Amino acid sequence: MTTSPVRPPESRPAPAAPTWPDATGHFGVFGGRFVPEALIAALDELTEAYEAMKVDPAFLEEFAALQRDYTGRPSPITEVSRFAEHCGGARVLLKREDLNHTGSHKINNVLGQALLTKRIGKSRVIAETGAGQHGVATATAAALMGLSCTVYMGEEDTRRQALNVARMRLLGAEVIPVTTGSRTLKDAINEAFRDWVTNVETTNYVFGTVAGPHPFPAMVRDFQRVIGDEARAQLLEREGRLPDAVLACVGGGSNAIGIFTAFVPDEGVRLVGLEAAGDGVETGRHAATITGGSPGVLHGARSYLLQDDNGQTIESHSISAGLDYPGVGPEHSYLHDIGRAEYRPVTDAEAMEAFALLCRTEGIIPAIESAHALAGAMRLGREVGPDALLLVNLSGRGDKDVETASTWFGLGDREEVDPGPGLDTDQQPTEGAVSNDEAVAGQDAGEQA
Amino acid sequence: MSALQQRISAARAEGRAALIAYLPVGYPDVDASIAAMVAAVEGGADVVEIGVPYSDPGMDGPVIQEAVDVAVRAGVGMRDVLRAAEAVAAAGAVPVVMSYWNPVERYGVDRFAADLAAAGGAGAITPDLIPDEAGAWIAASDAAGLDRVFLVAPSSTPARLRSTVAASRGFVYAASTMGVTGTRATVGDAAESLVARTRQAIADVGTDLPVCVGLGVSDGEQAAEVAGFADGVIVGSAYVRTLLEGRGPDGVRGLSEDLARGVRQRAGAPA
């Protein structure tokens, strides 16, 4: 195990801005723009407006005020020592993006892009969403800023994440279930691009992750890097040292890039992305793009993707709607290829085990997406041994996942709770499991809060 | 001059626009799709745009999506596309492949160019590949003597029009409207203005490429309207709809005949 030497915070250089992508949006061989010519003018307009905006003091002040007063930043760091008992003795600190307004990191990016939409004089935003978190965040920002909002969501996902569909509609957004292809996130992105190319004069596409054509991967990263910037300073402040590893789940990869970016120059800090392995990478039913995919072009950029011999996108599988995507952001492909970050698969079962464990040891219900990162911490902690300091991005809260989790754990009836596959491990939680009734009551209270 | 440009110029010499028919390989199945392409040629198509099925056709509307989805699920691949190119060439039209970029990249760019040239294909239209990202394709198409058709759009700036036409060979594909493929009641003024701006860009860079218009043309009357200002008329969704409606090669041949009359009228008589 490598342990970073303890040094006072002031001796640490401020996190550097990444030197990538290049001026045309390439991260090494990845990224770029693979889109119809009709969209180039809009992408150029966005790039130019964003470059101007990010050095405009008035914008930076407005953005910072929104993050503080509306989102509730900075999000806290929580040490989870009872959970960490299952992590081989490592200490585990969570970056609490689940406590942001709207319940995930997605709001960080959306507020930036909504301000940009106003700046370029457009009155309508569209978005794709998988788990619904980005859709909810976009609908929220649109309501706040008086923009009309349409969200594309795979029909399959509207069923899995019905709560978020209702939230978006309450916020005044139009939610369009997408019935083409696999009826999940990838098809929602196709439909959103079709809408954009048709309505580009009035409409801005608020892209939800660090994928898509330039400038989205760089712009979304810049809006999300606040996660890592805060966490790095918070760790130096409270621990006087950097973490040994930073872990985050990776679907498209925005929460991971968000927490990784500040640590990229810190060579002693391992960056670990956890991909959704579904039933297991070896079964073919997974969404582990870097682990089980190959480079190609999808949704406007070159990156790793799941594809067959004909170059057709393979449908991904994951219990987590937010990770159920056959592509990944180009910067992750680049970080993988240069060896700066490592990407590991986490199965549905491993993620749900970690999900249950965090609920019952810490009283925190994580998003199933984020539970993949927690599972990664359980495994990495056992590998690196005691005294390691692991920073995990808890990217979202699990209110939206209550139904999926209840089904998984067989909590549908009111019988005595079955510990479920998630707790059937060599290390049982130290305290007794909560009863089914208590779990359900807690959920209701949480959602109405 | 390439075979593709030659064919379009020959139509121009006859005082008409060229008719370019799009059909995807593999709908309803590979053999039937090739039969439909041959029927399109028999009805009067000068060029067949042979569509490579792709799982994420971001520039296509519901009609083409529906047909292509069937072909993707059936596992149709580049080998079938090459067979279609041979059949179209044998039928007397110029075959040009239309493919989203990933299937080409997966097959191998150099291998694709070599195999397409060997099959008698004239080149490829690449709707999601802009010249800025096309270094490998430009080199491979040069080496194989293939045309490369890039798209221009109503939103293209004069500078982008110039750089795109400078990289193009065979013809320039003018996407008539901002939107996806599909039949429309009217083609719109944007198409005529885009063709004029594209011709200016062609003059600026000093080539003589033809400009063909696609997106939205579905019948002889619209074809006549577009033929009034463009060198070629590209029709896609109307052909595919004919197949979706089960009207088979006869329906395709009939549509080609109607469109072929249209491109000879050059009426310039919008509804």
Side-chain angles (χ1 to χ4, degrees), chain A residues 161-296:
Chain A
Q161 313 279 207
L163 175 67
N164 274 343
V165 174
R167 290 171 79 193
M168 287 184 269
R169 289 182 172 148
L170 283 172
L171 291 161
E174 175 190 23
V175 180
I176 300 183
V178 173
T179 57
T180 53
S182 59
R183 305 179 180 213
T184 60
L185 179 55
K186 111 182 157 63
D187 307 283
I189 293 175
N190 291 336
E191 280 305 303
F193 271 116
R194 291 180 185 119
D195 181 315
W196 199 28
V197 75
T198 307
N199 301 299
V200 69
E201 271 186 41
T202 59
T203 299
N204 189 31
Y205 186 0
V206 175
F207 204 75
T209 191
V210 288
H214 179 64
F216 290 117
M219 180 169 70
V220 176
R221 172 195 67 199
D222 292 351
F223 289 141
Q224 291 290 4
R225 68 167 295 163
V226 66
I227 303 171
D229 287 345
E230 283 178 7
R232 190 176 183 280
Q234 287 165 318
L235 256 73
L236 291 175
E237 170 76 27
R238 65 177 276 161
E239 304 293 333
R241 57 167 287 199
L242 294 172
D244 296 296
V246 179
L247 300 97
C249 64
V250 178
S254 70
N255 91 82
I257 284 291
I259 199 164
F260 285 176
T261 296
F263 295 97
V264 166
D266 298 317
E267 286 175 13
V269 179
R270 285 174 73 173
L271 305 178
V272 184
L274 290 310
E275 299 192 301
D279 294 344
V281 173
E282 70 289 349
T283 68
R285 290 178 51 83
H286 65 88
T289 309
I290 292 177
T291 307
S294 55

Side-chain angles (χ1 to χ4, degrees), chain A residues 314-333:
Chain A
I314 295 174
E315 291 174 12
S316 55
H317 294 275
S318 169
I319 191 171
S320 152
L323 303 182
D324 198 353
Y325 179 58
V328 67
E331 188 167 0
H332 285 294
S333 295

Side-chain angles (χ1 to χ4, degrees), chain A residues 35-39 197, chain B residues 49 59-60 98 125-128 149-156 161 164 171-182 184 186-198 210-217 226 229-230 232-234:
Chain A
V35 293
E37 167 66 21
L39 286 176
V197 75
Chain B
E49 211 183 285
M59 215 185 137
D60 284 307
M98 139 108 188
I125 302 167
T126 51
D128 62 347
V149 177
F150 294 109
L151 277 68
V152 294
S155 60
S156 300
L161 288 176
T164 303
F171 70 89
V172 179
Y173 188 127
S176 66
T177 55
M178 296 297 286
V180 296
T181 58
R184 289 175 176 81
T186 58
V187 175
D189 298 337
E192 186 163 2
S193 142
L194 174 59
V195 169
R197 294 200 303 125
T198 305
V211 181
C212 302
V213 169
L215 299 196
V217 180
V226 172
F229 58 81
V233 180
I234 304 167

Side-chain angles (χ1 to χ4, degrees), chain A residues 26 32-38 40-41 180 186 190 194 197-198 200 294 296-298 302 307-313, chain B residues 53-60 65 75-77 102-103 105-106 127-130 133 151 153 155-156 160 178-180:
Chain A
H26 295 89
R33 283 181 177 171
F34 293 82
V35 293
E37 167 66 21
I40 296 296
T180 53
K186 111 182 157 63
N190 291 336
R194 291 180 185 119
V197 75
T198 307
V200 69
S294 55
V297 170
L298 176 65
R302 179 175 287 113
Q307 58 181 329
D308 68 14
D309 290 343
N310 290 326
Q312 313 296 355
T313 311
Chain B
Y54 180 49
S55 52
D56 295 273
M59 215 185 137
D60 284 307
Q65 282 178 48
V76 172
N102 199 51
E105 193 156 295
R106 184 67 169 170
D128 62 347
L129 184 72
I130 56 174
E133 299 284 354
L151 277 68
S155 60
S156 300
R160 284 205 64 82
M178 296 297 286
V180 296

Side-chain angles (χ1 to χ4, degrees), chain B residues 101 109 129-132 134-143 148 150 167 169:
Chain B
W101 190 240
V109 179
L129 184 72
I130 56 174
D132 320 47
W137 168 232
I138 287 171
S141 53
D142 277 345
R148 43 179 183 263
F150 294 109
R169 211 163 51 195

Side-chain angles (χ1 to χ4, degrees), chain B residues 61-83:
Chain B
V63 170
I64 291 177
Q65 282 178 48
E66 185 180 342
V68 160
D69 193 47
V70 170
V72 168
R73 285 172 197 281
V76 172
M78 211 56 90
R79 183 189 301 267
D80 304 303
V81 171
L82 297 170
R83 190 149 72 81

Side-chain angles (χ1 to χ4, degrees), chain B residues 23-62:
Chain B
L23 282 161
V25 180
Y27 185 82
D29 57 49
V30 173
D31 287 341
S33 67
I34 291 175
M37 291 175 198
V38 171
V41 176
E42 291 166 354
D46 300 288
V47 176
V48 176
E49 211 183 285
I50 300 168
V52 178
Y54 180 49
S55 52
D56 295 273
M59 215 185 137
D60 284 307

